[in-house]
Amino acid sequence: MNRQSIDQLFAVAGRELTTVARTRAFLALAAGFGAIVGVLGWTGEAVGYVPLVLDLLTPVEVLVPALALAVGYRAILGDRERGELDVLRTYPVSRPTYVLGVYLGRASALVVAVAVPLVAVAALVPLFGGVGTTVIASHGAADSPVLYLRFVVLSAAFALVLAAAATAISAAATTTRTGLVLAVALGLALVIGLDAGIVAGLAGGVVPDEALGAALSLSPNSAFRGLVLSTVVGGVESSAPVSSAAGVVGLLAWLAGSLAIATLTVWSES
Amino acid sequence: MTDATSTQRESEESSDRATVLDVEGLSHSFGEVDVFSDLSFSVASGSVTALVGPNGSGKTTLLRAVLGLTPPDDGRVRLTAGDRSGRDVGYLPQNPDFRSAFTVEETLQFYADLLDREVDVSAIVDRVGLGEASDRRVDALSGGMRRLLGIGQAILGEPSVVVLDEPTGDLDPRMTEYIFEVARDLADDGMAVVVATHNLAGAETADTVLLLDRGDVVADGSPDDFAARTGAESFREAFLSLTAADDDRDSPAISASADGGQR
């Protein structure tokens, strides 16, 4: 990537960040996510960081995909509908540069929207007297802010992967309706469909027991959940069906695959 | 078909004009339907070329093929920088729009940042007449101002060829006239401006008119040539005559026009 491409990358990413920052709907969604995280942290009266992670794990699994798809599904689609994608093609900007710039801009905003509330809610742990708790018997693991930080980092990584998926939808869709349908379908697949499919596969004998870990790593949600269980909660590591390595590979595959799809579909090289 | 430099009107002033757009044998179809076939023409720097024709005549598809946005089935498009050093082509699409939360200047600055050289965005804003609206958000611009913003975007980097696809649709007469004045100003500065339009009064201000109908260039030349060749009293009458019916296109006057070019 040469100097001009890097400058273009930052120009596109900056435009996306500015767009998101000036979009009231995104600010409202981010505030909503923050409020839900705060309420869960407060009502859960978390006595430690790991219990707080357990309180937040499922909501993060559900809400982060929704937030990512809402933030990202129109990023490139909007440019296409306004005719700006055609205009961009008259400039010396390549498909990978444009797609990566859009992704970086939107993903940066998403990571901030996800990580800031998660970090902020951790302040409730000392408030509820959990700061002195070093061992959580129920989870069989030492409690520590470091473990919580791992959860925040994994949540941010999860958001990055989902931002890439949203970017792919945004590039592939040609109309708002198509984009919306794809976004809803992917959201449902992530939260319910993929896991349900794996369970059905297990029940039907299509997925052998020994392949369960690999199969779960195919779903970003399962991979994220497995990574949190194995690297944060720890005490249930032995029963976590997704290995850390498989989970990381699964998330990276979704990230790279999504960006590749976005690059190939954003426009055709003539 | 003749090119922009070959008309009588331009012959005296075109000696220093270079061909910056050369289209040769261009064909495109959507399935079984031929949009156009074997089209050839060229455009010189410092000229305004109006592409006119009825709805569905293939103007937009032709422009998109010229821009490389729609790959043609056959033929060749050659864009050359001529004596200019900027990008090859600038483009204003039909009904242009931009991100609503950005100001005029921010919008142009974004596109300028994609170029490989410094651009004085403020000068571009002034040049298209949006100087007093440079801090205004896109969603606060009128339709005409958005077209001007689109033209500002199209001329960033001083392209050799500027393609404007129906830049005056739905605009009031004053704004329509102003946009054609801007197009003339760009041509006077050395750019080749290609304008697809339904506005015949605007097209009449062009150096060359290409009349596209049912996928063929049925006539080309200066607006005065159109009237002279058809015996019409005005360019408008000539246009209506030339696009009236298939049989009309077989008239000697029109055939002579169509055969006189580079196809």
Side-chain angles (χ1 to χ4, degrees), chain A residues 120-244:
Chain A
V121 80
L124 292 174
V125 173
L127 207 64
F128 287 116
V131 70
T133 307
T134 55
V135 176
I136 306 299
S138 62
H139 300 300
D143 196 32
S144 157
V146 174
L147 290 175
Y148 188 80
L149 187 61
R150 279 188 200 165
F151 171 66
V152 174
V153 170
L154 287 171
S155 299
F158 183 48
L160 289 174
V161 171
L162 296 170
T167 304
I169 285 176
S170 183
T174 53
T175 64
T176 299
R177 176 175 294 192
T178 311
L180 201 55
V181 167
L182 287 173
V184 170
L186 180 62
L188 290 174
L190 290 172
V191 176
I192 303 170
L194 292 175
D195 282 356
I198 291 167
V199 170
L202 275 174
V206 178
V207 178
D209 289 349
E210 55 272 22
L212 177 60
L216 286 175
S217 69
L218 296 176
S219 160
N221 283 44
S222 297
F224 166 67
R225 190 187 318 123
L227 283 168
V228 171
L229 292 177
S230 62
T231 63
V232 177
V233 179
V236 293
E237 183 171 16
S238 59
S239 61
V242 183
S243 73
S244 297

Side-chain angles (χ1 to χ4, degrees), chain B residues 37-52:
Chain B
S37 61
D38 199 27
L39 288 188
S40 299
F41 61 92
S42 58
V43 175
S45 61
S47 67
V48 176
T49 299
L51 184 61
V52 298

Side-chain angles (χ1 to χ4, degrees), chain B:
Chain B
M1 167 175 37
T2 56
D3 65 40
T5 60
S6 66
T7 63
Q8 182 68 35
R9 178 175 163 176
E10 287 188 312
S11 59
E12 294 175 1
E13 59 189 36
S14 63
S15 58
D16 57 342
R17 290 179 180 174
T19 296
V20 288
L21 169 61
D22 193 21
V23 174
E24 192 175 309
L26 209 61
S27 301
H28 187 73
S29 60
F30 290 123
E32 299 284 310
V33 180
D34 284 340
V35 182
F36 48 79
S37 61
D38 199 27
L39 288 188
S40 299
F41 61 92
S42 58
V43 175
S45 61
S47 67
V48 176
T49 299
L51 184 61
V52 298
N55 287 323
S57 58
K59 299 186 298 294
T60 293
T61 307
L62 174 58
L63 293 185
R64 290 181 63 82
V66 165
L67 290 158
L69 300 177
T70 299
D73 297 335
D74 199 9
R76 182 175 62 89
V77 175
R78 190 167 57 196
L79 285 159
T80 53
D83 56 354
R84 306 180 73 83
S85 57
R87 60 185 174 132
D88 284 342
V89 62
Y91 175 47
L92 171 75
Q94 277 189 44
N95 305 313
D97 203 0
F98 300 94
R99 296 203 176 189
S100 59
F102 285 70
T103 67
V104 166
E105 189 147 350
E106 286 172 338
T107 299
L108 292 179
Q109 189 61 58
F110 162 69
Y111 284 102
D113 289 342
L114 301 178
L115 298 170
D116 58 359
R117 60 174 171 157
E118 292 295 317
V119 174
D120 186 350
V121 168
S122 296
I124 297 290
V125 171
D126 289 337
R127 183 168 186 182
V128 295
L130 288 174
E132 293 181 5
S134 63
D135 292 331
R136 197 179 297 181
R137 281 170 48 129
V138 168
D139 55 7
L141 298 178
S142 67
M145 293 167 99
R146 289 187 193 204
R147 303 292 169 90
L148 293 173
L149 173 58
I151 292 174
Q153 168 281 126
I155 64 174
L156 286 169
E158 298 186 23
S160 305
V161 179
V162 179
V163 173
L164 310 177
D165 192 356
E166 300 198 17
T168 61
D170 300 327
L171 299 185
D172 65 65
R174 190 182 300 274
M175 182 60 82
T176 296
E177 188 176 340
Y178 180 68
I179 283 184
F180 278 103
E181 285 175 12
V182 171
R184 171 56 59 194
D185 179 55
L186 298 177
D188 289 345
D189 196 39
M191 298 183 199
V193 183
V194 180
V195 189
T197 184
H198 286 298
N199 187 289
L200 296 183
E204 204 167 359
T205 68
D207 300 300
T208 302
V209 177
L210 300 177
L211 174 53
L212 195 64
D213 192 14
R214 298 179 181 86
D216 283 321
V217 174
V218 296
D220 75 315
S222 72
D224 290 343
D225 289 342
F226 271 61
R229 288 173 184 175
T230 57
E233 292 185 358
S234 67
F235 175 66
R236 179 184 175 80
E237 270 186 31
F239 172 85
L240 294 174
S241 166
L242 288 165
T243 56
D246 287 344
D247 290 346
D248 290 347
R249 286 192 284 160
D250 296 330
S251 70
I254 299 162
S255 297
S257 168
D259 293 344
Q262 300 177 358
R263 295 174 60 191

Side-chain angles (χ1 to χ4, degrees), chain A residues 12-216:
Chain A
V12 175
R15 175 179 183 241
E16 297 302 324
L17 261 178
T18 306
T19 300
V20 170
R22 293 178 183 176
T23 303
R24 288 179 187 167
F26 170 74
L27 299 177
L29 284 171
F33 176 77
I36 290 171
V37 167
V39 167
L40 288 172
W42 183 265
T43 56
E45 295 186 359
V47 293
Y49 294 103
V50 173
L52 181 59
V53 168
L54 292 172
D55 284 343
L56 294 175
L57 180 55
T58 300
V60 165
E61 266 191 66
V62 174
L63 295 176
V64 171
L67 193 58
L69 292 168
V71 168
Y73 91 96
R74 278 191 55 81
I76 294 173
L77 177 59
D79 277 348
R80 188 191 305 282
E81 290 182 325
R82 281 186 301 274
E84 286 195 270
L85 217 50
D86 286 339
V87 167
L88 281 162
R89 292 173 64 183
T90 66
Y91 287 79
V93 61
S94 68
R95 293 188 299 180
T97 301
Y98 170 68
V99 167
L100 200 56
V102 169
Y103 168 71
L104 286 178
R106 298 273 170 164
S108 302
L110 182 64
V111 164
V112 170
V114 168
V116 168
L118 291 179
V119 170
V121 80
L124 292 174
V125 173
L127 207 64
F128 287 116
V131 70
T133 307
T134 55
V135 176
I136 306 299
S138 62
H139 300 300
D143 196 32
S144 157
V146 174
L147 290 175
Y148 188 80
L149 187 61
R150 279 188 200 165
F151 171 66
V152 174
V153 170
L154 287 171
S155 299
F158 183 48
L160 289 174
V161 171
L162 296 170
T167 304
I169 285 176
S170 183
T174 53
T175 64
T176 299
R177 176 175 294 192
T178 311
L180 201 55
V181 167
L182 287 173
V184 170
L186 180 62
L188 290 174
L190 290 172
V191 176
I192 303 170
L194 292 175
D195 282 356
I198 291 167
V199 170
L202 275 174
V206 178
V207 178
D209 289 349
E210 55 272 22
L212 177 60
L216 286 175

